[in-house]
Amino acid sequence: MGVQSLKSGGAAGILAASLAASGITPAMAATPEDTLVYGTSLAQVISLDPHQGQEVTSLEIMANLYDRLVASDAAGNLTPQLAESWEITEDGITFHLKDAVFNNTGNPVTAEDVVWSIRRVLKLNQAPAAKLGSTGYTAENIDSLTEALDDRTFRIALTGEVAADFLLYRLSEVAASVVERAEVMEHEADGDMGNGWLRTHAAGSGPFDLQRWAPNDIVIMNADEDNWSGAPILKRVVMRHVPESQAERLMLERGDIDIAGALSPKDIAYFSDKDGVDVRGISTGGFYALAMNVTQEPYSNPKVREAIFHAIDYDGIEQAIMGPYGKKRLLPVPMAYEGALPDPDWDYNPEKARALLAEAGYPDGFTTNIKVIAQTPRVELSTAIQAGLADIGIDASITQGSGADIVPDHRARNFELLVPQTGAYMPNPMGAMEQFSNNPDNSPEANNAGNFVWRSGWDIPELTELTARTMKENDPEKRVAMYGEMQQAFIDAVPAILPMFERFLPLAISTDVKGYEGHPQQVTRLDKVSKSE
């Protein structure tokens, strides 16, 4: 979408038409006083079923449509949400639901809704199932491990595969959102547990309700004025698909959007000293990574993988491309986290990379392809990787696409190289690293598409076992030592998923916006956000 089309009313006209259909008549060059308009890339949004979608922007949307038993604040502290309180015993956790909690339909949220939702995650067997699957819960055993003791009390038994506090963090993720069983099952088709309908609708108790989603275009969420936790301050939130940085910068300057979330480093810098705009960088605990499919030659060869490590000019890319989006980090644990090890010696060294390729039997290099979602800064990062590979004799083409194009290919192992991004589900090394270190069944028959490592076909039984032992450990001091072991085992295995840059989310926000507190796990709630008149 070019700047010229915006001036001629292209994207702005689409928004005006969409809002008019909602009863809103905004003036051009100023967003409505009762509406937050967020410009970003919606390329990754392929489903708004919380038990299916797990890409970053999807999480931001669903965090406002649904509630979980518990939540986490920006500092990583667990806080009650639907649950008033909980008790941890040796063999389980019992949750007591708050009184007078209602879904957006007006029906009460019950412990049976909670039970059904947790079971649905696993039985639907979409990508978020891996969130609980890695802790010992399966579609086969979840019925026996969850129960409603009464309308307000839910109990989940521990499997022995996860410490209780780690499970609580799992239950604070969007994947553990509580959906209204009766509403969803009214729309079940062919045994899909309502998935076909819930992909584009909402059935939760969150502060907003979904009015409209047009893929790669717009998302409109209306405030639930009678929400059990109190009415949101603003009437609605609009998320607009504006993947081009120059267009997004212009729109923020004109007042057509309130928040810009897909700006290039150059355009972020442009706003750094501008009155009326606040620039923020939100740490995510995640990474921009390079995934290699080791089910295909030549990536099954560790020397080829290591050669690629040395072909990437991390320092140059950080300075010229990543800027506020990322800092060089070659282990999947942010340096600020307790127990983080220093980076391994995989620095940019084209001469060493060529020698490793020759040792691997590829003295003249080879041809390959990089798949990437068309989103800043991943496209620019892919182009820089392409140039580095060319310098060591690897001829890489680039395939760009939306999330609907690239994500299914990633989950189906249908790629050679791919540039994904990750986040952390809790603010410690396990929350960041587990998706890089855990793959309990690498077989194609497992079809474990929700497992990040499985997608690359990287079989790591020893590291998986070490991750499992660490997951069970209740002693925090022992965990720190085990985090170090995990990182060293990751280095020794010559990973098929290379973290390159710790990922930050830079936002340019109009100073008219008040109360926006970005969340590291991309689950920012917007009900307390307001705007200056």
Side-chain angles (χ1 to χ4, degrees):
M1 183 183 304
V3 174
Q4 184 60 42
S5 68
L6 289 174
K7 289 183 176 179
S8 63
I14 292 172
L15 176 60
S18 299
L19 297 183
S22 310
I24 312 166
T25 55
M28 299 306 294
T31 61
E33 293 180 359
D34 61 358
T35 301
L36 181 72
V37 183
Y38 190 151
T40 187
S41 171
L42 298 177
Q44 290 191 82
V45 182
I46 59 177
S47 173
L48 293 180
D49 183 336
H51 304 155
Q52 180 179 44
Q54 66 171 9
E55 285 65 45
V56 171
T57 311
S58 303
L59 299 181
E60 293 183 309
I61 297 166
M62 293 184 292
N64 288 280
L65 302 175
Y66 295 93
D67 294 314
R68 289 91 68 201
L69 288 166
V70 295
S72 64
D73 63 20
N77 302 305
L78 290 167
T79 59
Q81 198 164 83
L82 289 175
E84 180 72 44
S85 62
W86 55 87
E87 295 104 30
I88 299 173
T89 60
E90 206 172 279
D91 59 351
I93 307 177
T94 301
F95 296 88
H96 303 281
L97 300 187
K98 294 175 179 176
D99 293 327
V101 175
F102 295 92
N103 288 295
N104 298 143
T105 59
N107 297 320
V109 177
T110 68
E112 286 291 349
D113 283 328
V114 178
V115 169
W116 187 75
S117 297
I118 298 299
R119 292 175 180 177
R120 183 178 184 268
V121 177
L122 290 157
K123 294 181 179 182
L124 202 59
N125 197 30
Q126 298 289 327
K131 305 287 188 181
L132 290 172
S134 64
T135 55
Y137 298 94
T138 68
E140 290 72 33
N141 69 18
I142 192 64
D143 285 357
S144 64
L145 297 174
T146 51
E147 61 178 323
L149 302 181
D150 56 44
D151 280 352
R152 317 302 307 154
T153 312
F154 164 74
R155 185 179 187 279
I156 183 167
L158 293 171
T159 63
E161 301 297 317
V162 60
D165 60 332
F166 282 168
L167 177 58
L168 286 171
Y169 275 107
R170 293 289 195 194
L171 295 176
S172 75
E173 292 188 84
V174 168
S177 295
V178 176
V179 303
E180 184 180 357
R181 177 181 183 176
E183 178 74 4
V184 173
M185 290 303 286
E186 279 188 15
H187 303 279
E188 183 180 35
D190 300 321
D192 72 346
M193 301 184 79
N195 172 244
W197 178 80
L198 202 57
R199 287 169 61 95
T200 57
H201 296 79
S205 57
F208 292 87
D209 200 11
L210 181 65
Q211 179 186 333
R212 181 185 173 207
W213 167 39
N216 291 320
D217 181 8
I218 197 166
V219 172
I220 301 176
M221 296 183 286
N222 286 345
D224 177 17
E225 302 287 350
D226 300 315
N227 191 260
W228 67 271
S229 61
I233 297 173
L234 296 176
K235 298 296 185 185
R236 63 193 54 79
V237 173
V238 176
M239 299 185 76
R240 300 185 55 184
H241 182 56
V242 193
E244 293 183 8
S245 179
Q246 188 179 10
E248 193 168 282
R249 186 189 77 185
L250 174 65
M251 293 167 70
L252 185 59
E253 283 190 295
R254 285 168 42 127
D256 292 335
I257 59 176
D258 301 303
I259 300 177
L263 293 174
S264 69
K266 178 180 178 181
D267 286 330
I268 286 287
Y270 173 83
F271 283 114
S272 62
D273 58 355
K274 293 284 185 182
D275 291 338
V277 175
D278 180 22
V279 175
R280 306 181 195 176
I282 301 169
S283 174
T284 69
F287 298 86
Y288 292 102
L290 179 64
M292 309 176 206
N293 188 347
V294 301
T295 68
Q296 300 183 21
E297 295 291 345
Y299 301 109
S300 59
N301 190 320
K303 290 186 181 297
V304 170
R305 301 200 295 269
E306 189 176 358
I308 290 175
F309 299 170
H310 291 291
I312 301 171
D313 183 4
Y314 308 99
D315 293 328
I317 293 171
E318 179 180 329
Q319 182 175 2
I321 294 174
M322 301 305 293
Y325 276 92
K327 295 180 180 179
K328 175 189 171 185
R329 179 62 172 149
L330 306 183
L331 283 176
V333 175
M335 278 302 300
Y337 285 8
E338 186 178 20
L341 297 186
D343 280 339
D345 183 19
W346 292 334
D347 284 343
Y348 179 55
N349 189 335
E351 183 176 344
K352 184 172 183 179
R354 294 186 199 101
L356 284 164
L357 277 184
E359 290 177 33
Y362 297 92
D364 300 319
F366 52 88
T367 60
T368 192
N369 175 262
I370 305 171
K371 290 188 175 181
V372 61
I373 291 176
Q375 182 182 66
T376 297
R378 286 195 271 183
V379 170
E380 297 87 346
L381 176 55
S382 298
T383 302
I385 294 170
Q386 179 189 44
L389 294 180
D391 195 36
I392 65 169
I394 299 176
D395 181 14
S397 60
I398 295 177
T399 299
Q400 298 184 36
S402 68
D405 301 318
I406 303 301
V407 172
D409 280 348
H410 191 194
R411 293 177 179 175
R413 295 179 170 176
N414 181 26
F415 68 96
E416 295 172 9
L417 298 175
L418 191 142
V419 178
Q421 65 183 32
T422 70
Y425 67 90
M426 54 184 174
N428 59 41
M430 182 62 76
M433 188 175 184
E434 185 197 350
Q435 56 200 310
F436 289 86
S437 65
N438 179 52
N439 185 10
D441 185 350
N442 192 53
S443 68
E445 295 76 23
N447 193 29
N448 193 6
N451 183 286
F452 197 59
V453 178
W454 181 92
R455 298 179 189 184
S456 285
W458 188 38
D459 199 13
I460 44 171
E462 294 84 5
L463 183 52
T464 296
E465 191 275 333
L466 176 56
T467 301
R469 282 195 285 114
T470 308
M471 187 77 74
K472 299 175 189 177
E473 181 54 60
N474 285 295
D475 187 324
E477 291 186 8
K478 290 181 180 178
R479 280 183 190 167
V480 172
M482 296 174 82
Y483 293 148
E485 292 179 44
M486 288 173 63
Q487 292 167 79
Q488 187 58 54
F490 180 83
I491 295 169
D492 295 343
V494 189
I497 310 167
L498 174 69
M500 299 177 289
F501 300 94
E502 183 181 348
R503 186 171 68 84
F504 293 81
L505 178 63
L507 297 175
I509 305 176
S510 167
T511 53
D512 288 343
V513 175
K514 310 298 181 185
Y516 182 93
E517 298 293 338
H519 195 289
Q521 277 71 56
Q522 280 74 61
V523 290
T524 301
R525 297 275 270 206
L526 302 172
D527 51 319
K528 306 304 181 187
V529 172
S530 63
K531 291 170 68 175
S532 301
E533 295 185 4

